[in-house]
């Protein structure tokens, strides 16, 4: 049985995806992050466990979060790849990954502790929503 926990990176599936990203070159890495987000944010129907976990990891990395106990240089450059449109898609992906039509929701509903899952995701969603807001010009 694999390890899983309440944080975005507290899961064997999450860390497998992170490790695969670490082994990719920069252009492939950003494209894999984008694909993981769009696969969940724009696809119809329910969200599978792996797709949901990968979307949450991708969104968290783009929001500037890092797995505990990692010091990987490439993570620091990721927020620069976060456009307003991708930030909006990433927020939708996180919400869909934990919606009633997802395997993650089903797993956490059965296990309990959903409040702690959302608490762990709050900084991710806050950063994504801030990045997705259009900049407003001053009055003058």
């Amino acid at each position: 049985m694999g390890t899983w926990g309440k944080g975005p990176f507290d899961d064997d599936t999450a860390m497998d995806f992170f490790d695969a990203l670490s082994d990719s070159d920069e252009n492939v890495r950003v494209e894999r992050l984008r694909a993981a987000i769009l696969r969940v944010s724009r696809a119809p129907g329910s969200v599978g466990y792996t797709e949901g976990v990968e979307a949450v990891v991708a969104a968290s990395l783009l929001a500037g979060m890092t797995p505990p106990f990692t010091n990987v240089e490439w993570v620091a450059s990721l927020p620069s790849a976060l456009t307003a449109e991708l930030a909006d898609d990433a927020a939708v992906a996180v919400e869909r990954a934990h919606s009633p039509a997802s395997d993650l929701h089903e797993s956490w509903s059965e296990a309990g502790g959903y409040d702690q899952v959302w608490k762990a995701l709050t900084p991710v969603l806050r950063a994504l929503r801030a990045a997705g807001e259009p900049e407003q010009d001053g009055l003058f």
Side-chain angles (χ1 to χ4, degrees):
M1 177 168 190
T3 301
W4 59 292
K6 295 168 180 73
F9 304 102
D10 297 344
D11 182 296
D12 285 344
T13 303
M15 290 310 294
D16 288 345
F17 184 58
F18 180 80
D19 289 341
L21 291 169
S22 294
D23 293 339
S24 302
D25 74 35
E26 183 178 354
N27 294 331
V28 171
R29 185 179 303 128
V30 171
E31 189 49 43
R32 288 186 76 182
L33 291 168
R34 183 182 320 282
I37 288 168
L38 296 180
R39 188 169 35 251
V40 172
S41 68
R42 296 187 181 176
S46 64
V47 178
Y49 185 83
T50 300
E51 292 80 13
V53 168
E54 289 179 357
V56 169
V57 168
S60 299
L61 288 167
L62 288 169
M65 308 286 289
T66 57
F69 310 110
T70 57
N71 185 15
V72 182
E73 290 180 23
W74 64 263
V75 174
S77 68
L78 287 178
S80 66
L82 188 61
T83 63
E85 181 180 9
L86 185 56
D88 290 340
D89 283 327
V92 168
V94 170
E95 291 167 349
R96 286 202 69 228
H98 284 281
S99 72
S102 75
D103 290 347
L104 276 172
H105 184 274
E106 183 178 333
S107 296
W108 280 111
S109 293
E110 291 172 3
Y114 226 126
D115 310 355
Q116 295 170 348
V117 172
W118 277 110
K119 184 177 180 180
L121 292 173
T122 297
V124 173
L125 289 169
R126 186 178 302 128
L128 293 171
R129 288 185 179 125
E133 292 177 0
E135 290 185 31
Q136 296 182 353
D137 292 335
L139 294 175
F140 301 100

